[in-house]
Amino acid sequence: MELAYIATILPSILRGLATTLQLFFMTLIFALPLGLVFTLGSISRFYPLKWVSKTYILVFRGTPLMLQLFFIYYGLPFLGVTLDKFPSAVLTFVLNYAAYFAEIYRAGIQSIDIGQHEAAKTLGFTPGQTMRLIIIPQAVSRIIPPVCNETITLVKDTALVTAIGVGEMLKAAKGAVNRDMNITAYIVVAIIYLLLTLVLTKVYEKLEVRYNRYQKKGV
C-alpha cells in the first residue's frame, strides 16, 4: 500500500467513518431503552401488550435487516411516508436492534431465581419496585456480554446502509476502488472496522469487570 495514495483516499473514508459512527451511536441511544420497553411488554401479564411486544420482536428478529431497510426506505413512500436515506437507516437499525436487545434483556431478567420475586413480595415490594430495585440490577451483569456481541455486530452491520446510498465508510471505499481500480481502500476500511471492534471489546471487558466488582461490594 502506497502511503501517498492512502493519504488521497483517507479524507473521503473518514467522512464515511463519521456517518458510520453517527449511525452507530444513534442506534444505541434509542435501541437500548426501546428494547427494555419491549422486554417489559413481552413479560407483562396484560395480554394485548404482551402479544404486541412478542409480535414486534418476532418480526424484526425473523426478517433480514436488509429487507427491513428496503421496506422503510423504498416501501414506506407507497404508504405516504417518505424519509431521507439517513433517517431511514437510523429508524431501521433502531427498530431492528431494539428487538435483539429486548430478547437479551428478557433472557437476563428471567434468569434471576424466582425466589428473588417471592422474597421481595414478602418484604412488601411492589412488582415495579421488585423489577427496578432487585431484578434488573442483578440481570445487568448477565446481559453485558451478549449486549457487547450485538454492539460489535452493529458496527459491521452499518455497512449495509450503502445499499440505499448512505455515504458511510464502505460506500466511500467502493467509490475509490471503482474509480482507481485499486483495492487499497477496502484494506484501509477493514483495518478501521477491526480497530473499532477491538476498542468496543476492551471497553466492554472493563465495564464487565467493574460492574462485577461493584456487585460484589454491594453483597
Side-chain angles (χ1 to χ4, degrees):
M1 293 187 292
E2 296 181 5
L3 294 180
Y5 176 69
I6 292 176
T8 63
I9 63 174
L10 199 55
S12 63
I13 290 176
L14 291 179
R15 285 193 295 271
L17 173 61
T19 301
T20 295
L21 292 176
Q22 187 178 2
L23 175 59
F24 172 80
F25 284 114
M26 290 185 72
T27 299
L28 285 185
I29 288 170
F30 292 106
L32 286 169
L34 183 60
L36 182 59
V37 171
F38 282 106
T39 296
L40 298 177
S42 69
I43 62 178
S44 171
R45 294 180 180 179
F46 183 56
Y47 183 77
L49 178 60
K50 183 174 185 176
W51 183 86
V52 169
S53 299
K54 283 186 171 293
T55 301
Y56 167 85
I57 292 170
L58 175 64
V59 169
F60 280 93
R61 291 182 73 242
T63 56
L65 177 56
M66 182 75 80
L67 176 61
Q68 296 165 20
L69 188 63
F70 285 160
F71 179 82
I72 288 177
Y73 182 65
Y74 295 113
L76 287 186
F78 289 99
L79 302 177
V81 180
T82 301
L83 298 174
D84 288 337
K85 296 173 182 178
F86 188 74
S88 295
V90 172
L91 178 60
T92 304
F93 273 67
V94 168
L95 294 176
N96 179 274
Y97 272 84
Y100 281 92
F101 288 139
E103 277 297 278
I104 291 172
Y105 298 160
R106 181 196 59 76
I109 289 172
Q110 293 185 338
S111 70
I112 304 301
D113 190 271
I114 191 66
Q116 300 277 354
H117 294 269
E118 296 171 350
K121 186 177 181 180
T122 301
L123 293 172
F125 284 81
T126 65
Q129 289 174 327
T130 301
M131 186 63 66
R132 187 177 72 255
L133 301 175
I134 299 175
I135 304 303
I136 290 179
Q138 293 182 72
V140 168
S141 62
R142 303 187 184 189
I143 68 173
I144 288 177
V147 166
C148 174
N149 290 336
E150 282 301 317
T151 303
I152 290 172
T153 301
L154 171 59
V155 171
K156 296 178 287 185
D157 277 351
T158 56
L160 294 176
V161 299
T162 191
I164 61 170
V166 176
E168 47 72 63
M169 273 199 303
L170 185 59
K171 188 174 188 296
K174 185 177 179 181
V177 170
N178 290 342
R179 182 187 68 240
D180 304 327
M181 299 300 291
N182 187 324
I183 66 167
T184 300
Y186 284 152
I187 297 173
V188 172
V189 167
I191 292 172
I192 294 175
Y193 277 120
L194 286 171
L195 289 175
L196 290 175
T197 299
L198 179 62
V199 169
L200 284 172
T201 300
K202 294 299 181 183
V203 168
Y204 276 104
E205 284 176 354
K206 290 184 178 297
L207 179 63
E208 187 175 5
V209 169
R210 178 171 296 181
Y211 189 84
N212 287 337
R213 187 182 303 156
Y214 170 79
Q215 286 290 86
K216 289 178 180 178
K217 286 182 180 180
V219 174

